[in-house]
């Protein structure tokens, strides 16, 4: 491991100007649970680590008239335990509780969880220079791809590893980003990008930008949400397939529904086609499975991950029926 310096900025403004000067040689650190592993595995070689923990007041969960604001440095454990989140956004509460282990939830932050790097085993192997690391080939495409994407792949087949992202997108969350030029707020759904847009990055963040806050609009009357995650190991694991579902149900019929999948694509994947089939119909296992099958007609599984299509049916009917 190469030596690096640690910067301790006191304001977001100091981070963005530092970042602007140093461009690709500095890396932001929140809880460090992913970043430090990347350094130890020699995937990145920072000259400077910018410790966001030195900036006061970036950890909060505040209820306001136009929704709930959550600071980027709020820990995943705080999200998982917060009574307001539990009561008003149960899907987010459930998602936060499935993230990793208690220790990792204590250290890991909202901003870090949303910006964590992919878990593809070729990417994490220091000996392998795949396309995401500037090489010319995706080794997963014809190699071992059991955990890879069945949707939105091409060039690179990572899956977005965050449990919080699908849950927040299903709740119509927005993300606020600061840079030397000022602040901007965009739908979280537009934060993530497919490999065909940029194979080296997973989101729109430029090197001089910092995630400052996430905002969730107030839950509408009668709106319910849930998060259902299938994983290989019972204790802790990343999602093989997960579904975040938000909707309003009356007499067993979804008046409105939004479905976002995790574990199936390089970005959290909205299942709009399935939403259109389910909306206005009596929710049954048969209907939900049919809706998943229709929506997955565009899926392009690789050699080892076709099983994920059936798992999508399972997570969809189990999560949606739990709201009825
Ligand atoms: C063993 C293990 C199991 C895990 N299981 C799960 C799981 O089941 N579900 C799940 O969702 N996650 C899982 N994770 C991932 C874990 O949740 C993340 O490592 C953690 O949330 C990252 O948060 P952090 O604050 O430690 O980020 P860091 O490690 O500090 O940073 C991660 C990345 O985000 C960037 N970053 C951090 N904060 C900001 C910011 N404010 N603005 C811009 N960029 C930022 C960093 O530069 C870095 O690239 C697991 C991790 C491990 C090690
Ligand atoms: S899926 Fe992406 S990260 Fe994995 S080997 Fe292919 S290019 Fe690299």
């Amino acid at each position: 491991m190469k030596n690096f310096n640690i910067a301790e900025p006191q304001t977001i403004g100091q981070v963005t100007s530092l970042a602007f000067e140093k461009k690709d040689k500095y890396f932001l650190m929140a809880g460090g649970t992913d970043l430090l592993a990347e350094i130890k595995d020699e995937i990145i070689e920072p000259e400077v680590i910018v410790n966001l923990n030195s900036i006061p007041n970036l950890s909060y969960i505040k209820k306001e008239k136009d929704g709930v604001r959550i600071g980027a440095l709020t820990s995943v454990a705080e999200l998982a335990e917060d009574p307001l989140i539990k009561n008003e956004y149960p899907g987010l509460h459930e998602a936060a509780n499935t993230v990793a282990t208690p220790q990792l939830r204590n250290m890991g932050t909202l901003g870090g969880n949303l910006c964590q790097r992919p878990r593809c085993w070729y990417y994490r192997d220091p000996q392998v220079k795949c396309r995401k690391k500037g090489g010319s080939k995706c080794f997963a495409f014809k190699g071992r791809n059991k955990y890879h994407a069945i949707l939105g792949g091409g060039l690179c087949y990572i899956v977005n590893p965050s449990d919080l992202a699908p849950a927040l997108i299903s709740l119509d969350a927005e993300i606020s980003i600061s840079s030397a030029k000022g602040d901007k707020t965009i739908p979280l759904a537009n934060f993530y990008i497919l490999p065909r847009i940029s194979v080296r990055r997973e989101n729109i963040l430029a090197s001089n930008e910092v995630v400052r806050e996430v905002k969730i609009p107030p839950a509408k009357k009668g709106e319910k949400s849930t998060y259902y995650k299938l994983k290989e190991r019972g204790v802790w694991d990343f999602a093989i397939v997960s579904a975040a579902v938000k909707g309003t149900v009356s007499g067993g019929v979804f008046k409105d529904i939004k479905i976002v999948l995790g574990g199936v694509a390089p970005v959290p994947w909205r299942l709009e086609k399935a939403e259109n089939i389910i909306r206005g119909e009596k929710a049954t296992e048969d209907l939900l499975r049919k809706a998943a099958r229709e929506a997955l007609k565009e899926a392009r599984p690789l050699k080892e991950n076709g099983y994920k299509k059936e798992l999508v049916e399972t997570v969809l009917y189990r999560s949606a029926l739990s709201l009825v």
Side-chain angles (χ1 to χ4, degrees):
M1 190 195 294
K2 284 193 178 157
N3 288 347
F4 52 79
N5 293 317
I6 297 193
E8 300 270 341
Q10 301 302 305
T11 63
I12 288 242
Q14 284 175 7
V15 180
T16 53
S17 55
L18 181 76
F20 197 66
E21 284 163 22
K22 295 275 180 184
K23 290 215 160 72
D24 293 341
K25 302 203 185 317
Y26 88 102
F27 285 83
L28 303 181
M29 184 180 77
T33 58
D34 187 25
L35 187 87
L36 296 179
E38 283 213 298
I39 297 171
K40 278 192 270 181
D41 291 344
E42 296 171 4
I43 299 165
I44 55 171
E45 287 187 337
E47 278 184 13
V48 181
I49 289 186
V50 183
N51 182 10
L52 296 177
N53 294 288
S54 55
I55 306 172
N57 307 324
L58 278 182
S59 168
Y60 53 84
I61 300 175
K62 286 184 200 160
K63 185 170 182 171
E64 292 176 2
K65 253 194 196 152
D66 59 346
V68 172
R69 292 171 187 276
I70 310 169
L73 281 195
T74 306
S75 73
V76 179
E78 284 168 307
L79 265 183
E81 286 154 20
D82 189 82
L84 169 74
I85 301 293
K86 186 175 178 186
N87 290 334
E88 298 195 18
Y89 309 104
L92 178 58
H93 164 78
E94 289 159 16
N97 269 297
T98 69
V99 170
T101 62
Q103 292 90 333
L104 285 158
R105 292 198 287 274
N106 281 332
M107 289 303 292
T109 64
L110 169 64
N113 187 275
L114 297 179
C115 299
Q116 61 178 295
R117 303 304 312 274
R119 289 278 150 188
C120 169
W121 38 36
Y122 297 109
Y123 171 77
R124 295 275 164 175
D125 185 336
Q127 309 296 327
V128 176
K129 193 173 179 194
C130 70
R131 212 172 257 149
K132 185 167 270 305
K133 293 196 276 189
S136 58
K137 191 173 164 185
C138 169
F139 291 90
F141 181 58
K142 289 200 171 161
R144 305 309 307 266
N145 45 44
K146 178 179 175 187
Y147 301 115
H148 288 74
I150 58 169
L151 288 153
L155 295 179
C156 166
Y157 291 84
I158 56 155
V159 295
N160 183 288
S162 168
D163 285 310
L164 300 183
L168 283 164
I169 291 171
S170 75
L171 297 170
D172 301 310
E174 293 180 324
I175 187 165
S176 295
I177 296 166
S178 299
S179 74
K181 289 183 195 150
D183 290 354
K184 64 181 170 193
T185 298
I186 58 164
L188 182 60
N190 299 348
F191 179 65
Y192 294 103
I193 51 175
L194 286 170
R196 65 169 175 263
I197 308 295
S198 172
V199 78
R200 302 292 300 273
R201 298 188 292 151
E202 295 84 49
N203 56 53
I204 57 149
L205 271 192
S207 59
N208 63 338
E209 292 184 322
V210 185
V211 174
R212 191 169 42 81
E213 182 181 89
V214 168
K215 192 181 107 189
I216 317 173
K220 291 189 199 119
K221 198 162 174 267
E223 198 169 79
K224 298 176 181 176
S225 63
T226 190
Y227 185 72
Y228 195 95
K229 171 174 172 180
L230 288 178
K231 48 191 181 172
E232 205 163 44
R233 284 182 298 185
V235 272
W236 64 264
D237 214 340
F238 290 91
I240 292 185
V241 174
S242 67
V245 180
K246 180 190 75 169
T248 34
V249 192
S250 169
V253 173
F254 273 96
K255 300 284 175 204
D256 198 16
I257 185 163
K258 190 163 180 183
I259 306 161
V260 185
L261 299 180
V264 294
V267 299
W269 195 264
R270 176 101 181 260
L271 224 50
E272 241 171 315
K273 211 174 197 177
E275 293 168 12
N276 293 336
I277 294 170
I278 297 163
R279 198 176 295 112
E281 298 288 331
K282 183 103 181 157
T284 60
E285 180 178 336
D286 278 354
L287 175 82
L288 293 157
R289 280 187 180 277
K290 184 183 141 210
R293 277 197 300 274
E294 282 300 317
L296 287 184
K297 281 190 174 158
E298 59 176 318
R300 297 288 175 268
L302 302 167
K303 198 167 155 223
E304 297 178 342
N305 66 2
Y307 71 98
K308 285 195 177 189
K309 283 176 72 173
E310 197 169 329
L311 294 190
V312 171
E313 285 185 35
T314 306
V315 291
L316 182 57
Y317 92 74
R318 287 193 186 162
S319 53
L321 286 186
S322 76
L323 298 183
V324 173

